[in-house]
Amino acid sequence: MNQQQYPQHQPGWGGPQQPYGQPPFQSPPPKKAGAGKVIGLGCLGVVGLFVLIGAVGAAVGGGSNSPAGGGSSTTGTSRDAGAGDAKGGAVQDSEKKADGKQGAGEKGTGEKAVVFKVWGTAPAGVLGPLDITYGSDSDNRDGDFQDGEFEATLPLDEDALYFNVTAQLQGSGDIHCSVTVDGKTKKAHAAGDYNICNAQLSSGLLGGWD
């Protein structure tokens, strides 16, 4: 029985021969780049972008908050507050001075008042130096003349028809009298014997006092 002869490898024929009937040997395919590296590089890029945006935002915010000229805004605020306090103190002082110097015809509470005055010389008689009465058409009072003068005030009654003051001498003397209503003043004069000084302001038909 004849045996089949296989060709033998001969040196110089281009390398070892594969046995007959077997597929030739194939090299494994090259490995692809790992997906993890791609993801990692993407994350680093995103982080870097956020860091860059934060740095730009901080620079812009710092520049906008700084006052013009590089000055400190706190210093400016404190100066403004100090100036405001000084002005407030000056206003309060002026108000106190105004309250301490109430004009004639006003009380310390700001309520309008009527002022009655008598001044001059009047020797004392049997009934005293002067016989003084003052008030309105609905309120009449007696006054006391001392040390050469008399002064009294009454609340202003807008419904009153008039306000007046009278002072009668007791034999001799020289006196003046006045009544002031809402900034308007009326004066009178009397001298000698039993003459009477009479000052009166009446309510006007269209308002005010005459």
Side-chain angles (χ1 to χ4, degrees):
M1 185 175 188
N2 294 331
Q3 294 181 352
Q4 187 176 0
Q5 297 294 324
Y6 295 95
Q8 299 294 322
H9 172 71
Q10 296 296 327
W13 283 18
Q17 298 292 327
Q18 295 293 332
Y20 180 80
Q22 295 182 358
F25 176 78
Q26 296 180 356
S27 60
K31 295 182 179 180
K32 296 182 179 180
K37 292 183 179 180
V38 176
I39 295 175
L41 292 175
C43 292
L44 289 176
V46 172
V47 171
L49 181 60
F50 277 113
V51 171
L52 179 61
I53 293 174
V56 173
V60 174
S64 63
N65 290 333
S66 300
S72 173
S73 60
T74 304
T75 303
T77 302
S78 62
R79 289 177 180 175
D80 293 341
D85 293 341
K87 291 180 180 179
V91 171
Q92 291 179 356
D93 291 341
S94 63
E95 289 178 352
K96 289 181 180 179
K97 291 179 180 179
D99 292 340
K101 295 181 179 180
Q102 292 289 337
E106 292 188 2
K107 292 185 177 180
T109 59
E111 180 184 1
K112 291 182 179 180
V114 183
V115 181
F116 307 89
K117 293 182 180 180
V118 178
W119 66 96
T121 59
V126 177
L127 301 178
L130 289 175
D131 182 14
I132 299 175
T133 59
Y134 67 97
S136 67
D137 58 299
S138 60
D139 184 4
N140 203 11
R141 307 187 182 196
D142 293 331
D144 189 10
F145 188 77
Q146 294 182 354
D147 299 327
E149 63 179 358
F150 161 80
E151 181 174 346
T153 60
L154 290 176
L156 174 59
D157 181 4
E158 299 288 352
D159 295 329
L161 297 177
Y162 62 85
F163 289 94
N164 73 343
V165 57
T166 62
Q168 184 175 5
L169 293 167
Q170 300 297 314
S172 63
D174 192 327
I175 58 173
H176 298 266
C177 58
S178 69
V179 57
T180 301
V181 182
D182 199 17
K184 184 71 175 290
T185 300
K186 188 67 171 290
K187 296 180 180 180
H189 171 255
D193 296 331
Y194 292 88
N195 291 322
I196 300 175
C197 182
N198 181 19
Q200 176 174 307
L201 282 173
S202 301
S203 177
L205 296 177
L206 301 178
W209 299 88
D210 299 322

